[in-house]
Amino acid sequence: MNPLLEDMITRKRERRRELAALPVGEKLRMLEQILTDTKSIAATHPDKPANPLKVKVRKTASLILP
């Protein structure tokens, strides 16, 4: 296996052990903080820019010939 992949797996296992050792209240506090951060990111997401080159086409019945 790639050394970088092994290092990543090792860090992931260590983090899981650390989280498992935390009390439930601390885990819930961390989860609330993550949710708050996620909501603040979603709320500040910029709008898509307007497309000034888009031309609106009007449909008119007067252009239809019998």
Side-chain angles (χ1 to χ4, degrees), residues 25-62:
E26 183 65 20
K27 291 178 192 177
L28 290 175
R29 188 196 61 74
M30 289 172 65
L31 180 60
E32 288 176 358
Q33 184 63 41
I34 291 169
L35 291 174
T36 305
D37 293 344
T38 303
K39 287 179 183 177
S40 68
I41 290 170
T44 59
H45 190 281
D47 293 334
K48 291 183 180 178
N51 187 356
L53 300 177
K54 190 173 184 179
V55 178
K56 292 185 179 181
V57 178
R58 288 181 159 174
K59 293 182 180 179
T60 57
S62 63

Side-chain angles (χ1 to χ4, degrees), residues 6-25:
E6 288 177 9
D7 185 45
M8 184 178 71
I9 291 171
T10 303
R11 285 183 302 188
K12 188 174 182 180
R13 286 181 181 153
E14 289 173 6
R15 181 70 178 146
R16 283 184 180 169
R17 284 188 201 114
E18 291 172 4
L19 285 173
L22 288 175
V24 175

